[in-house]
Structure formats: C-alpha cells, structure tokens
Amino acid sequence: MQLGRKWSYALRFVLVAAAYALSLALFRSVSFAHWFPVAGFRLLCLLFAPYRYWPALLLGEVLPLAYTSYECVGQYGMSWALFNLIPPVSIAMPVVAWCRERLPIVSGRAPNFGPLLLCTLLVSALWSLVFVCAFKLMRLPPNYPHVGW
C-alpha cells in the first residue's frame, strides 16, 4: 500500500510540473510586451499551490528555460544563457512564502487586497531587478543602439 502512495505522489508531481510547463508555454504564445500574463500566473500558482508542489513548479519552469537558453546561447552569449536558467518562480518563492506565513492574504473566503498587493509589488520589484540583470548580461548585436545605463 505504501508503494502505491509513493507512485501516486510521483505521478501527481510529474503531472503538476507538466501542466505548469504547458500553461507557461500557452501563455507565452498569446503574450506580447504590454500584456504579460505569465508573471501573474506564476504568482497565482505560488500563492495558492500547496508547498509540496513548489518543486514541481520549479521543474515545470526549468525545462522551458533550458530549451530557451540552449536555443539562444549563440545569440545572447553563455553568461546570459546560464543566468536565464534561474527560474523566476524560484526567486519569488521566499517572498511569497513570507507573505503567506506572515500576512493574511486570504481571510475566510475573501481576499485581503492590501497584503495581496504588497506581495505582488515585492515580487514584481524583485523580478524586474533580475530581468534588468539578465539584460545587462546579454551580448547584444554590434549595431544595437546602446542605452547608457
């Protein structure tokens, strides 16, 4: 009986990772620069998924990032490709865990928008900082108009 539970958990883990990766791929296919639902989807998954499935979210995000890094290593350079392997969901995990433990994001059946917006602001600021760092690591084309920062 115990072996069945382990296999059941492993199967659920793989299914969560696959569903998360597929959802990210679908969101990316309909996203553009001014409307990026992937970040909201990541935060939503972290806020409402049980902690035991967080490693599955990591796995579900690392696999597409590895493919992107492999495909773009020649264009953007090895340092960017290695930095790109860090899943954004892993960067937000400590902040979201802190918010889930310390702030009443959901009380009863209604959300508390103050703590929810604070968590969103903290995660967004952190992700913005990381994406700026990734941009700084990119090897840009020779004729690219360079911004002075």
Side-chain angles (χ1 to χ4, degrees), residues 37-56:
V38 175
F41 179 69
R42 281 185 191 121
L43 184 60
L44 181 74
C45 288
L46 286 175
L47 283 171
F48 295 110
Y51 289 126
R52 68 179 178 267
Y53 290 120
W54 281 20

Side-chain angles (χ1 to χ4, degrees), residues 135-136 140-149:
F135 183 73
K136 294 299 278 183
L140 298 174
N143 297 333
Y144 192 81
H146 195 343
V147 181
W149 43 273

Side-chain angles (χ1 to χ4, degrees), residues 5-141:
R5 285 187 188 179
K6 287 181 182 176
W7 279 105
S8 174
Y9 177 73
L11 180 62
R12 281 185 286 163
F13 185 88
V14 169
L15 288 176
V16 166
Y20 183 70
L22 180 64
S23 299
L24 285 176
L26 291 174
F27 273 127
R28 283 192 180 127
S29 69
V30 298
S31 298
F32 53 90
H34 302 292
W35 184 67
F36 199 63
V38 175
F41 179 69
R42 281 185 191 121
L43 184 60
L44 181 74
C45 288
L46 286 175
L47 283 171
F48 295 110
Y51 289 126
R52 68 179 178 267
Y53 290 120
W54 281 20
L57 298 179
L58 277 173
L59 179 66
E61 193 154 5
V62 158
L63 297 176
L65 289 176
Y67 177 75
T68 302
S69 290
Y70 176 74
E71 288 290 317
C72 298
V73 70
Q75 184 177 4
Y76 298 130
M78 182 60 79
S79 60
W80 175 86
L82 292 174
F83 190 79
N84 189 53
L85 289 175
I86 301 170
V89 75
S90 70
I91 295 164
M93 281 179 175
V95 174
V96 173
W98 182 83
C99 289
R100 281 178 64 169
E101 297 298 323
R102 308 250 190 236
L103 302 175
I105 292 177
V106 177
S107 65
R109 297 176 68 148
N112 290 331
F113 287 103
L116 181 63
L117 289 175
L118 177 64
C119 181
T120 303
L121 175 69
L122 293 173
V123 169
S124 298
L126 195 58
W127 279 340
S128 296
L129 179 67
V130 169
F131 291 141
V132 166
C133 291
F135 183 73
K136 294 299 278 183
L137 288 172
M138 278 184 172
R139 183 182 66 213
L140 298 174

